[in-house]
Amino acid sequence: MFKISFIDGLYFVFKGDDKVSIGFKDEKMAQDEIKNLSKDCECPFRDKLFTQSISFTDNSSNAEKRTVISIRDGIQEYLGAELGIEPFDKVFKIYRSPETIKELKDKLKDIPLIENHIEPEGTIDDDLKRGKIIDSEIVENIDNESDSTIAIKNEISLFKDKLEFEYEQLSLGYKATTLPSAKYDFEQFNILPHHLGIVEAGRCGDVCKFQDQRGVKRMNLEELLNRIPVLEISG
């Protein structure tokens, strides 16, 4: 697997323990070199970008608007097991720059809102759609722990017949190009959004969620107990 190391003021590309590039003054140049070197090999995180057309009919008389935060820049943490790389128990840091998030803003229009996550490819069944993103803007989000400075605030429309849901946090489903980084383990570029999932606990944390509480269905004790499976024992 390729990696980038910062040595004596320059960025070098390594494959395993072997140095395979000259030194670069800019990390982006080293990342571009990895793209060149990895064209003909199977490498982790060389996600293939794809395009799709999402057909979504919005009847404004049957929609209700909400405000959400969908994504932020900075660090996201993943276990090696989630990424399919060793060591499986290591926590890897994947970084998104403010520039990458700013490029994403205008791509979010009409992205469907669904419950939970599905594979981020292909078309989405109409019966899964809760609504869609109708507008986006960049807002400040200062968090030194995650190296975050900005986030994207969205206006979304929710179908009036699909307003009740259990969770308030959100997680963007997407494809991206992910490359090694010297400061972090990896950095993501060229994010192509597919859906915005309503989830119990998103990787973005408490930042990415509904900014208003209308439509969030809080379960009472009876409803919660009804969701617990009953174990029948015979004999």
Side-chain angles (χ1 to χ4, degrees), residues 9-42:
L10 295 173
Y11 294 92
F12 293 89
V13 177
F14 284 77
K15 186 173 183 181
D17 295 328
D18 299 325
K19 187 190 297 182
V20 293
S21 80
I22 62 172
F24 298 98
K25 291 184 177 180
D26 188 294
E27 185 175 28
K28 180 65 169 60
M29 296 175 68
Q31 290 167 337
D32 287 341
E33 179 67 7
I34 288 178
K35 291 181 184 179
N36 279 333
L37 294 170
S38 60
K39 282 179 180 176
D40 300 320
C41 72
E42 293 294 328

PDB file of all heavy atoms in Angstrom, residues 9-42:
ATOM      1  N   GLY A   9      11.401  18.466   5.053  1.00  0.00           N
ATOM      2  CA  GLY A   9      10.716  19.522   4.320  1.00  0.00           C
ATOM      3  C   GLY A   9      10.122  19.103   2.988  1.00  0.00           C
ATOM      4  O   GLY A   9       9.608  19.955   2.257  1.00  0.00           O
ATOM      5  N   LEU A  10      10.185  17.796   2.653  1.00  0.00           N
ATOM      6  CA  LEU A  10       9.645  17.324   1.376  1.00  0.00           C
ATOM      7  C   LEU A  10       8.705  16.131   1.606  1.00  0.00           C
ATOM      8  O   LEU A  10       8.841  15.401   2.593  1.00  0.00           O
ATOM      9  CB  LEU A  10      10.767  16.909   0.423  1.00  0.00           C
ATOM     10  CG  LEU A  10      11.705  18.018  -0.054  1.00  0.00           C
ATOM     11  CD1 LEU A  10      12.861  17.412  -0.845  1.00  0.00           C
ATOM     12  CD2 LEU A  10      10.961  19.053  -0.898  1.00  0.00           C
ATOM     13  N   TYR A  11       7.773  15.942   0.668  1.00  0.00           N
ATOM     14  CA  TYR A  11       6.826  14.821   0.734  1.00  0.00           C
ATOM     15  C   TYR A  11       7.304  13.707  -0.199  1.00  0.00           C
ATOM     16  O   TYR A  11       7.529  13.937  -1.401  1.00  0.00           O
ATOM     17  CB  TYR A  11       5.427  15.270   0.316  1.00  0.00           C
ATOM     18  CG  TYR A  11       4.801  16.270   1.260  1.00  0.00           C
ATOM     19  CD1 TYR A  11       4.946  17.640   1.048  1.00  0.00           C
ATOM     20  CD2 TYR A  11       4.075  15.836   2.373  1.00  0.00           C
ATOM     21  CE1 TYR A  11       4.372  18.559   1.919  1.00  0.00           C
ATOM     22  CE2 TYR A  11       3.491  16.754   3.245  1.00  0.00           C
ATOM     23  CZ  TYR A  11       3.641  18.111   3.008  1.00  0.00           C
ATOM     24  OH  TYR A  11       3.069  19.022   3.864  1.00  0.00           O
ATOM     25  N   PHE A  12       7.472  12.502   0.352  1.00  0.00           N
ATOM     26  CA  PHE A  12       7.921  11.356  -0.429  1.00  0.00           C
ATOM     27  C   PHE A  12       6.838  10.274  -0.436  1.00  0.00           C
ATOM     28  O   PHE A  12       6.148  10.068   0.557  1.00  0.00           O
ATOM     29  CB  PHE A  12       9.210  10.761   0.157  1.00  0.00           C
ATOM     30  CG  PHE A  12      10.412  11.656   0.040  1.00  0.00           C
ATOM     31  CD1 PHE A  12      10.707  12.582   1.030  1.00  0.00           C
ATOM     32  CD2 PHE A  12      11.257  11.563  -1.064  1.00  0.00           C
ATOM     33  CE1 PHE A  12      11.817  13.405   0.927  1.00  0.00           C
ATOM     34  CE2 PHE A  12      12.364  12.381  -1.169  1.00  0.00           C
ATOM     35  CZ  PHE A  12      12.652  13.312  -0.174  1.00  0.00           C
ATOM     36  N   VAL A  13       6.743   9.567  -1.570  1.00  0.00           N
ATOM     37  CA  VAL A  13       5.818   8.442  -1.684  1.00  0.00           C
ATOM     38  C   VAL A  13       6.569   7.152  -1.399  1.00  0.00           C
ATOM     39  O   VAL A  13       7.648   6.910  -1.956  1.00  0.00           O
ATOM     40  CB  VAL A  13       5.189   8.378  -3.092  1.00  0.00           C
ATOM     41  CG1 VAL A  13       4.283   7.146  -3.217  1.00  0.00           C
ATOM     42  CG2 VAL A  13       4.397   9.648  -3.374  1.00  0.00           C
ATOM     43  N   PHE A  14       6.023   6.339  -0.517  1.00  0.00           N
ATOM     44  CA  PHE A  14       6.575   5.024  -0.203  1.00  0.00           C
ATOM     45  C   PHE A  14       5.572   3.953  -0.591  1.00  0.00           C
ATOM     46  O   PHE A  14       4.363   4.146  -0.477  1.00  0.00           O
ATOM     47  CB  PHE A  14       6.870   4.907   1.295  1.00  0.00           C
ATOM     48  CG  PHE A  14       8.107   5.630   1.744  1.00  0.00           C
ATOM     49  CD1 PHE A  14       8.101   7.006   1.892  1.00  0.00           C
ATOM     50  CD2 PHE A  14       9.280   4.922   2.015  1.00  0.00           C
ATOM     51  CE1 PHE A  14       9.241   7.670   2.313  1.00  0.00           C
ATOM     52  CE2 PHE A  14      10.421   5.581   2.443  1.00  0.00           C
ATOM     53  CZ  PHE A  14      10.410   6.965   2.584  1.00  0.00           C
ATOM     54  N   LYS A  15       6.096   2.818  -1.053  1.00  0.00           N
ATOM     55  CA  LYS A  15       5.266   1.631  -1.233  1.00  0.00           C
ATOM     56  C   LYS A  15       5.819   0.592  -0.269  1.00  0.00           C
ATOM     57  O   LYS A  15       6.904   0.046  -0.486  1.00  0.00           O
ATOM     58  CB  LYS A  15       5.321   1.113  -2.666  1.00  0.00           C
ATOM     59  CG  LYS A  15       4.342  -0.036  -2.913  1.00  0.00           C
ATOM     60  CD  LYS A  15       4.296  -0.422  -4.376  1.00  0.00           C
ATOM     61  CE  LYS A  15       3.248  -1.512  -4.603  1.00  0.00           C
ATOM     62  NZ  LYS A  15       3.197  -1.932  -6.036  1.00  0.00           N
ATOM     63  N   GLY A  16       5.081   0.373   0.827  1.00  0.00           N
ATOM     64  CA  GLY A  16       5.658  -0.416   1.914  1.00  0.00           C
ATOM     65  C   GLY A  16       6.800   0.364   2.538  1.00  0.00           C
ATOM     66  O   GLY A  16       6.651   1.528   2.911  1.00  0.00           O
ATOM     67  N   ASP A  17       7.981  -0.238   2.604  1.00  0.00           N
ATOM     68  CA  ASP A  17       9.155   0.445   3.154  1.00  0.00           C
ATOM     69  C   ASP A  17      10.028   1.076   2.083  1.00  0.00           C
ATOM     70  O   ASP A  17      11.061   1.690   2.392  1.00  0.00           O
ATOM     71  CB  ASP A  17      10.004  -0.549   3.965  1.00  0.00           C
ATOM     72  CG  ASP A  17       9.263  -1.056   5.191  1.00  0.00           C
ATOM     73  OD1 ASP A  17       8.467  -0.290   5.755  1.00  0.00           O
ATOM     74  OD2 ASP A  17       9.481  -2.232   5.579  1.00  0.00           O
ATOM     75  N   ASP A  18       9.650   0.921   0.805  1.00  0.00           N
ATOM     76  CA  ASP A  18      10.480   1.413  -0.304  1.00  0.00           C
ATOM     77  C   ASP A  18      10.039   2.791  -0.757  1.00  0.00           C
ATOM     78  O   ASP A  18       8.849   3.022  -1.047  1.00  0.00           O
ATOM     79  CB  ASP A  18      10.412   0.443  -1.491  1.00  0.00           C
ATOM     80  CG  ASP A  18      10.931  -0.942  -1.139  1.00  0.00           C
ATOM     81  OD1 ASP A  18      11.890  -1.013  -0.336  1.00  0.00           O
ATOM     82  OD2 ASP A  18      10.382  -1.936  -1.655  1.00  0.00           O
ATOM     83  N   LYS A  19      11.011   3.720  -0.836  1.00  0.00           N
ATOM     84  CA  LYS A  19      10.727   5.048  -1.375  1.00  0.00           C
ATOM     85  C   LYS A  19      10.622   4.945  -2.892  1.00  0.00           C
ATOM     86  O   LYS A  19      11.541   4.451  -3.558  1.00  0.00           O
ATOM     87  CB  LYS A  19      11.836   6.019  -0.988  1.00  0.00           C
ATOM     88  CG  LYS A  19      11.554   7.479  -1.370  1.00  0.00           C
ATOM     89  CD  LYS A  19      12.775   8.358  -1.188  1.00  0.00           C
ATOM     90  CE  LYS A  19      13.220   8.427   0.258  1.00  0.00           C
ATOM     91  NZ  LYS A  19      14.386   9.337   0.417  1.00  0.00           N
ATOM     92  N   VAL A  20       9.505   5.414  -3.463  1.00  0.00           N
ATOM     93  CA  VAL A  20       9.275   5.232  -4.905  1.00  0.00           C
ATOM     94  C   VAL A  20       9.079   6.555  -5.638  1.00  0.00           C
ATOM     95  O   VAL A  20       8.592   6.570  -6.779  1.00  0.00           O
ATOM     96  CB  VAL A  20       8.062   4.310  -5.144  1.00  0.00           C
ATOM     97  CG1 VAL A  20       8.350   2.903  -4.667  1.00  0.00           C
ATOM     98  CG2 VAL A  20       6.801   4.855  -4.479  1.00  0.00           C
ATOM     99  N   SER A  21       9.446   7.665  -5.001  1.00  0.00           N
ATOM    100  CA  SER A  21       9.295   8.955  -5.695  1.00  0.00           C
ATOM    101  C   SER A  21      10.410   9.898  -5.273  1.00  0.00           C
ATOM    102  O   SER A  21      11.103   9.669  -4.276  1.00  0.00           O
ATOM    103  CB  SER A  21       7.939   9.589  -5.364  1.00  0.00           C
ATOM    104  OG  SER A  21       7.973  10.229  -4.091  1.00  0.00           O
ATOM    105  N   ILE A  22      10.539  10.961  -6.036  1.00  0.00           N
ATOM    106  CA  ILE A  22      11.386  12.072  -5.617  1.00  0.00           C
ATOM    107  C   ILE A  22      10.653  12.837  -4.518  1.00  0.00           C
ATOM    108  O   ILE A  22       9.482  12.563  -4.220  1.00  0.00           O
ATOM    109  CB  ILE A  22      11.694  13.007  -6.808  1.00  0.00           C
ATOM    110  CG1 ILE A  22      10.393  13.618  -7.363  1.00  0.00           C
ATOM    111  CG2 ILE A  22      12.440  12.263  -7.903  1.00  0.00           C
ATOM    112  CD1 ILE A  22      10.610  14.685  -8.412  1.00  0.00           C
ATOM    113  N   GLY A  23      11.310  13.818  -3.911  1.00  0.00           N
ATOM    114  CA  GLY A  23      10.655  14.638  -2.904  1.00  0.00           C
ATOM    115  C   GLY A  23       9.851  15.760  -3.544  1.00  0.00           C
ATOM    116  O   GLY A  23      10.295  16.383  -4.516  1.00  0.00           O
ATOM    117  N   PHE A  24       8.671  16.002  -3.021  1.00  0.00           N
ATOM    118  CA  PHE A  24       7.793  17.066  -3.527  1.00  0.00           C
ATOM    119  C   PHE A  24       7.598  18.125  -2.453  1.00  0.00           C
ATOM    120  O   PHE A  24       7.455  17.808  -1.267  1.00  0.00           O
ATOM    121  CB  PHE A  24       6.424  16.506  -3.920  1.00  0.00           C
ATOM    122  CG  PHE A  24       6.472  15.483  -5.025  1.00  0.00           C
ATOM    123  CD1 PHE A  24       6.452  14.126  -4.724  1.00  0.00           C
ATOM    124  CD2 PHE A  24       6.539  15.877  -6.349  1.00  0.00           C
ATOM    125  CE1 PHE A  24       6.492  13.178  -5.726  1.00  0.00           C
ATOM    126  CE2 PHE A  24       6.580  14.937  -7.367  1.00  0.00           C
ATOM    127  CZ  PHE A  24       6.555  13.584  -7.070  1.00  0.00           C
ATOM    128  N   LYS A  25       7.574  19.391  -2.876  1.00  0.00           N
ATOM    129  CA  LYS A  25       7.346  20.472  -1.925  1.00  0.00           C
ATOM    130  C   LYS A  25       5.887  20.544  -1.492  1.00  0.00           C
ATOM    131  O   LYS A  25       5.583  21.043  -0.411  1.00  0.00           O
ATOM    132  CB  LYS A  25       7.764  21.817  -2.542  1.00  0.00           C
ATOM    133  CG  LYS A  25       9.267  21.958  -2.747  1.00  0.00           C
ATOM    134  CD  LYS A  25       9.611  23.344  -3.275  1.00  0.00           C
ATOM    135  CE  LYS A  25      11.124  23.513  -3.424  1.00  0.00           C
ATOM    136  NZ  LYS A  25      11.480  24.848  -3.944  1.00  0.00           N
ATOM    137  N   ASP A  26       4.985  20.046  -2.341  1.00  0.00           N
ATOM    138  CA  ASP A  26       3.545  20.130  -2.081  1.00  0.00           C
ATOM    139  C   ASP A  26       2.979  18.720  -1.937  1.00  0.00           C
ATOM    140  O   ASP A  26       3.267  17.852  -2.765  1.00  0.00           O
ATOM    141  CB  ASP A  26       2.863  20.868  -3.243  1.00  0.00           C
ATOM    142  CG  ASP A  26       1.415  21.168  -2.944  1.00  0.00           C
ATOM    143  OD1 ASP A  26       0.629  20.218  -2.828  1.00  0.00           O
ATOM    144  OD2 ASP A  26       1.061  22.356  -2.845  1.00  0.00           O
ATOM    145  N   GLU A  27       2.175  18.479  -0.887  1.00  0.00           N
ATOM    146  CA  GLU A  27       1.611  17.148  -0.691  1.00  0.00           C
ATOM    147  C   GLU A  27       0.675  16.750  -1.830  1.00  0.00           C
ATOM    148  O   GLU A  27       0.572  15.585  -2.191  1.00  0.00           O
ATOM    149  CB  GLU A  27       0.856  17.066   0.641  1.00  0.00           C
ATOM    150  CG  GLU A  27       0.353  15.654   0.934  1.00  0.00           C
ATOM    151  CD  GLU A  27      -0.300  15.518   2.293  1.00  0.00           C
ATOM    152  OE1 GLU A  27      -0.848  16.519   2.797  1.00  0.00           O
ATOM    153  OE2 GLU A  27      -0.270  14.402   2.848  1.00  0.00           O
ATOM    154  N   LYS A  28      -0.007  17.724  -2.421  1.00  0.00           N
ATOM    155  CA  LYS A  28      -0.905  17.421  -3.539  1.00  0.00           C
ATOM    156  C   LYS A  28      -0.133  16.785  -4.690  1.00  0.00           C
ATOM    157  O   LYS A  28      -0.639  15.878  -5.372  1.00  0.00           O
ATOM    158  CB  LYS A  28      -1.593  18.712  -4.010  1.00  0.00           C
ATOM    159  CG  LYS A  28      -2.559  18.535  -5.174  1.00  0.00           C
ATOM    160  CD  LYS A  28      -3.750  17.678  -4.772  1.00  0.00           C
ATOM    161  CE  LYS A  28      -4.836  17.727  -5.824  1.00  0.00           C
ATOM    162  NZ  LYS A  28      -4.453  17.269  -7.145  1.00  0.00           N
ATOM    163  N   MET A  29       1.102  17.224  -4.930  1.00  0.00           N
ATOM    164  CA  MET A  29       1.924  16.638  -5.987  1.00  0.00           C
ATOM    165  C   MET A  29       2.266  15.190  -5.664  1.00  0.00           C
ATOM    166  O   MET A  29       2.281  14.326  -6.544  1.00  0.00           O
ATOM    167  CB  MET A  29       3.191  17.470  -6.182  1.00  0.00           C
ATOM    168  CG  MET A  29       2.944  18.886  -6.662  1.00  0.00           C
ATOM    169  SD  MET A  29       4.453  19.881  -6.737  1.00  0.00           S
ATOM    170  CE  MET A  29       5.328  19.071  -8.073  1.00  0.00           C
ATOM    171  N   ALA A  30       2.513  14.907  -4.387  1.00  0.00           N
ATOM    172  CA  ALA A  30       2.788  13.527  -3.974  1.00  0.00           C
ATOM    173  C   ALA A  30       1.545  12.662  -4.140  1.00  0.00           C
ATOM    174  O   ALA A  30       1.626  11.494  -4.562  1.00  0.00           O
ATOM    175  CB  ALA A  30       3.272  13.497  -2.528  1.00  0.00           C
ATOM    176  N   GLN A  31       0.379  13.212  -3.843  1.00  0.00           N
ATOM    177  CA  GLN A  31      -0.867  12.465  -4.020  1.00  0.00           C
ATOM    178  C   GLN A  31      -1.136  12.198  -5.504  1.00  0.00           C
ATOM    179  O   GLN A  31      -1.616  11.124  -5.888  1.00  0.00           O
ATOM    180  CB  GLN A  31      -2.023  13.225  -3.377  1.00  0.00           C
ATOM    181  CG  GLN A  31      -1.945  13.220  -1.856  1.00  0.00           C
ATOM    182  CD  GLN A  31      -2.890  14.203  -1.205  1.00  0.00           C
ATOM    183  OE1 GLN A  31      -3.313  15.182  -1.808  1.00  0.00           O
ATOM    184  NE2 GLN A  31      -3.223  13.955   0.062  1.00  0.00           N
ATOM    185  N   ASP A  32      -0.808  13.175  -6.353  1.00  0.00           N
ATOM    186  CA  ASP A  32      -0.957  12.967  -7.796  1.00  0.00           C
ATOM    187  C   ASP A  32      -0.006  11.868  -8.283  1.00  0.00           C
ATOM    188  O   ASP A  32      -0.348  11.090  -9.185  1.00  0.00           O
ATOM    189  CB  ASP A  32      -0.668  14.267  -8.552  1.00  0.00           C
ATOM    190  CG  ASP A  32      -1.790  15.284  -8.406  1.00  0.00           C
ATOM    191  OD1 ASP A  32      -2.912  14.875  -8.039  1.00  0.00           O
ATOM    192  OD2 ASP A  32      -1.538  16.482  -8.632  1.00  0.00           O
ATOM    193  N   GLU A  33       1.186  11.802  -7.676  1.00  0.00           N
ATOM    194  CA  GLU A  33       2.137  10.752  -8.046  1.00  0.00           C
ATOM    195  C   GLU A  33       1.581   9.376  -7.682  1.00  0.00           C
ATOM    196  O   GLU A  33       1.763   8.406  -8.425  1.00  0.00           O
ATOM    197  CB  GLU A  33       3.479  10.996  -7.346  1.00  0.00           C
ATOM    198  CG  GLU A  33       4.550   9.950  -7.638  1.00  0.00           C
ATOM    199  CD  GLU A  33       5.024   9.960  -9.085  1.00  0.00           C
ATOM    200  OE1 GLU A  33       4.631  10.869  -9.853  1.00  0.00           O
ATOM    201  OE2 GLU A  33       5.789   9.055  -9.456  1.00  0.00           O
ATOM    202  N   ILE A  34       0.878   9.283  -6.552  1.00  0.00           N
ATOM    203  CA  ILE A  34       0.256   8.009  -6.172  1.00  0.00           C
ATOM    204  C   ILE A  34      -0.790   7.605  -7.204  1.00  0.00           C
ATOM    205  O   ILE A  34      -0.914   6.433  -7.567  1.00  0.00           O
ATOM    206  CB  ILE A  34      -0.364   8.110  -4.770  1.00  0.00           C
ATOM    207  CG1 ILE A  34       0.733   8.144  -3.716  1.00  0.00           C
ATOM    208  CG2 ILE A  34      -1.310   6.943  -4.497  1.00  0.00           C
ATOM    209  CD1 ILE A  34       0.234   8.297  -2.307  1.00  0.00           C
ATOM    210  N   LYS A  35      -1.553   8.573  -7.707  1.00  0.00           N
ATOM    211  CA  LYS A  35      -2.541   8.261  -8.752  1.00  0.00           C
ATOM    212  C   LYS A  35      -1.853   7.646  -9.963  1.00  0.00           C
ATOM    213  O   LYS A  35      -2.333   6.689 -10.558  1.00  0.00           O
ATOM    214  CB  LYS A  35      -3.295   9.527  -9.169  1.00  0.00           C
ATOM    215  CG  LYS A  35      -4.232  10.074  -8.115  1.00  0.00           C
ATOM    216  CD  LYS A  35      -4.932  11.310  -8.641  1.00  0.00           C
ATOM    217  CE  LYS A  35      -5.813  11.954  -7.591  1.00  0.00           C
ATOM    218  NZ  LYS A  35      -6.470  13.177  -8.100  1.00  0.00           N
ATOM    219  N   ASN A  36      -0.686   8.220 -10.342  1.00  0.00           N
ATOM    220  CA  ASN A  36       0.061   7.695 -11.486  1.00  0.00           C
ATOM    221  C   ASN A  36       0.565   6.285 -11.208  1.00  0.00           C
ATOM    222  O   ASN A  36       0.425   5.388 -12.038  1.00  0.00           O
ATOM    223  CB  ASN A  36       1.275   8.585 -11.793  1.00  0.00           C
ATOM    224  CG  ASN A  36       0.923   9.813 -12.587  1.00  0.00           C
ATOM    225  OD1 ASN A  36      -0.052   9.805 -13.313  1.00  0.00           O
ATOM    226  ND2 ASN A  36       1.702  10.843 -12.427  1.00  0.00           N
ATOM    227  N   LEU A  37       1.147   6.101 -10.025  1.00  0.00           N
ATOM    228  CA  LEU A  37       1.749   4.815  -9.691  1.00  0.00           C
ATOM    229  C   LEU A  37       0.710   3.715  -9.505  1.00  0.00           C
ATOM    230  O   LEU A  37       1.021   2.536  -9.667  1.00  0.00           O
ATOM    231  CB  LEU A  37       2.583   4.945  -8.412  1.00  0.00           C
ATOM    232  CG  LEU A  37       3.829   5.843  -8.506  1.00  0.00           C
ATOM    233  CD1 LEU A  37       4.410   6.082  -7.111  1.00  0.00           C
ATOM    234  CD2 LEU A  37       4.877   5.220  -9.414  1.00  0.00           C
ATOM    235  N   SER A  38      -0.514   4.095  -9.153  1.00  0.00           N
ATOM    236  CA  SER A  38      -1.518   3.084  -8.822  1.00  0.00           C
ATOM    237  C   SER A  38      -2.518   2.820  -9.942  1.00  0.00           C
ATOM    238  O   SER A  38      -3.501   2.124  -9.746  1.00  0.00           O
ATOM    239  CB  SER A  38      -2.277   3.507  -7.560  1.00  0.00           C
ATOM    240  OG  SER A  38      -2.929   4.746  -7.763  1.00  0.00           O
ATOM    241  N   LYS A  39      -2.248   3.339 -11.134  1.00  0.00           N
ATOM    242  CA  LYS A  39      -3.200   3.161 -12.237  1.00  0.00           C
ATOM    243  C   LYS A  39      -3.449   1.695 -12.564  1.00  0.00           C
ATOM    244  O   LYS A  39      -4.556   1.302 -12.896  1.00  0.00           O
ATOM    245  CB  LYS A  39      -2.691   3.881 -13.485  1.00  0.00           C
ATOM    246  CG  LYS A  39      -2.906   5.386 -13.457  1.00  0.00           C
ATOM    247  CD  LYS A  39      -2.358   6.041 -14.709  1.00  0.00           C
ATOM    248  CE  LYS A  39      -2.591   7.543 -14.674  1.00  0.00           C
ATOM    249  NZ  LYS A  39      -1.988   8.222 -15.843  1.00  0.00           N
ATOM    250  N   ASP A  40      -2.428   0.882 -12.477  1.00  0.00           N
ATOM    251  CA  ASP A  40      -2.542  -0.512 -12.917  1.00  0.00           C
ATOM    252  C   ASP A  40      -2.541  -1.513 -11.776  1.00  0.00           C
ATOM    253  O   ASP A  40      -2.268  -2.689 -11.973  1.00  0.00           O
ATOM    254  CB  ASP A  40      -1.401  -0.853 -13.886  1.00  0.00           C
ATOM    255  CG  ASP A  40      -1.435   0.024 -15.113  1.00  0.00           C
ATOM    256  OD1 ASP A  40      -2.534   0.283 -15.614  1.00  0.00           O
ATOM    257  OD2 ASP A  40      -0.357   0.446 -15.556  1.00  0.00           O
ATOM    258  N   CYS A  41      -2.803  -1.041 -10.548  1.00  0.00           N
ATOM    259  CA  CYS A  41      -2.803  -1.986  -9.435  1.00  0.00           C
ATOM    260  C   CYS A  41      -4.069  -1.830  -8.607  1.00  0.00           C
ATOM    261  O   CYS A  41      -4.738  -0.804  -8.668  1.00  0.00           O
ATOM    262  CB  CYS A  41      -1.579  -1.791  -8.545  1.00  0.00           C
ATOM    263  SG  CYS A  41      -1.630  -0.296  -7.539  1.00  0.00           S
ATOM    264  N   GLU A  42      -4.398  -2.871  -7.857  1.00  0.00           N
ATOM    265  CA  GLU A  42      -5.531  -2.820  -6.951  1.00  0.00           C
ATOM    266  C   GLU A  42      -5.057  -2.201  -5.637  1.00  0.00           C
ATOM    267  O   GLU A  42      -4.261  -2.790  -4.923  1.00  0.00           O
ATOM    268  CB  GLU A  42      -6.072  -4.224  -6.698  1.00  0.00           C
ATOM    269  CG  GLU A  42      -6.711  -4.852  -7.933  1.00  0.00           C
ATOM    270  CD  GLU A  42      -7.961  -4.114  -8.370  1.00  0.00           C
ATOM    271  OE1 GLU A  42      -8.652  -3.570  -7.493  1.00  0.00           O
ATOM    272  OE2 GLU A  42      -8.238  -4.074  -9.576  1.00  0.00           O
TER     273      GLU A  42
END
